[in-house]
Amino acid sequence: MSRLDPDKQARLMIRKPLVSDVEAIRELINDSAELGKMLFRPAAELYEHLRDFHVYEQDGRVVGCCALHVYWKDLAEVKSLAVESQLRGKGIGKTLVRAALEEAGRLGVGRVFALTLETKFFENLGFERVDFDALPLKVWTDCVKCPRKDCCDETALIYSLSQDVSTT
Ligand SMILES: CC(C)(COP(=O)(O)OP(=O)(O)OC[C@H]1O[C@@H](n2cnc3c(N)ncnc32)[C@H](O)[C@@H]1OP(=O)(O)O)[C@@H](O)C(=O)NCCC(=O)NCCS
């Protein structure tokens, strides 16, 4: 499989979603959730939080998604990141996370965190590991509802927007 190169070309396919994209987003997330990679998100929740998302469209199909959820004036989360399995390793995930970081920058959010099993992927993008105690608001919202809260195997990572969020 060839990589999407250059990144500028890839960015042209990034866009904010329409309500008609919810079913494709739900399938992307739930396919990975079935493998234990992320949490399921019901359609109702996706409609409610649709404006958090960017989607990646290729040949008229949504093949990747990523949400940025703002928690507080200085903290947001990158969540619900998924790329269609056959299209992984082409830079789509990286492009989606960078779009979320750019949006955080536009909103004035200083730090963006991720809770993930894909530690290396996020470290490659400049995220740094932190202790869960650094994320008090997150712990009191999503984590208390998570079925894996007593056996959490995810790593917490944070990206500081004072770093250069370069997309070139
Ligand atoms: C994690 C995921 C989104 C990555 O998307 P992707 O499009 O395959 O990733 P990219 O092609 O943009 O990879 C970007 C870089 O990270 C690396 N990378 C990707 N997945 C990786 C992994 N699992 N472990 C280590 N490195 C990884 C790539 O090699 C690439 O490195 P490079 O820039 O040096 O070439 C995708 O594998 C996926 O959808 N996984 C299932 C759902 C999931 O786990 N989501 C994360 C929930 S927080």
Side-chain angles (χ1 to χ4, degrees):
M1 292 188 292
S2 62
R3 292 190 66 81
L4 292 164
D5 189 33
D7 268 3
K8 268 186 187 161
Q9 182 190 336
R11 287 179 63 216
L12 291 175
M13 300 175 190
I14 285 268
R15 63 172 172 81
K16 296 296 281 184
L18 305 171
V19 287
S20 54
D21 296 320
V22 164
E23 192 52 32
I25 294 171
R26 196 181 66 81
E27 276 179 26
L28 282 167
I29 292 172
N30 290 351
D31 283 354
S32 288
E34 275 164 20
L35 300 172
K37 295 274 190 184
M38 58 205 298
L39 293 176
F40 287 96
R41 294 193 74 178
E45 193 181 307
L46 293 175
Y47 284 112
E48 192 180 342
H49 295 283
L50 191 61
R51 284 175 293 181
D52 284 356
F53 277 86
H54 278 92
V55 292
Y56 192 101
E57 184 181 316
Q58 186 166 307
D59 300 330
R61 281 193 317 118
V62 170
V63 297
C65 62
C66 181
L68 177 82
H69 183 73
V70 177
Y71 277 94
W72 203 246
K73 64 179 179 182
D74 61 348
L75 192 64
E77 179 183 13
V78 168
K79 62 193 293 186
S80 300
L81 167 67
V83 173
E84 195 172 281
S85 56
Q86 301 92 320
L87 293 173
R88 290 179 192 161
K90 291 172 172 279
I92 296 174
K94 180 165 67 175
T95 306
L96 282 162
V97 172
R98 283 180 171 172
L101 293 175
E102 284 183 353
E103 186 166 61
R106 283 195 298 276
L107 291 169
V109 176
R111 295 179 307 152
V112 176
F113 73 94
L115 295 179
T116 185
L117 301 174
E118 299 291 352
T119 308
K120 202 83 196 100
F121 169 81
F122 281 96
E123 284 180 334
N124 280 350
L125 283 164
F127 283 73
E128 294 178 354
R129 292 182 197 221
V130 289
D131 197 276
F132 273 80
D133 292 347
L135 308 170
L137 285 166
K138 174 66 184 172
V139 169
W140 286 108
T141 53
D142 273 8
C143 286
V144 292
K145 294 183 276 177
C146 177
R148 296 202 304 265
K149 66 178 182 294
D150 295 324
C151 54
C152 179
D153 48 2
E154 294 189 326
T155 300
L157 299 104
I158 278 197
Y159 188 98
S160 169
L161 268 289
S162 59
Q163 299 173 44
D164 176 26
V165 184
S166 169
T167 56
T168 57

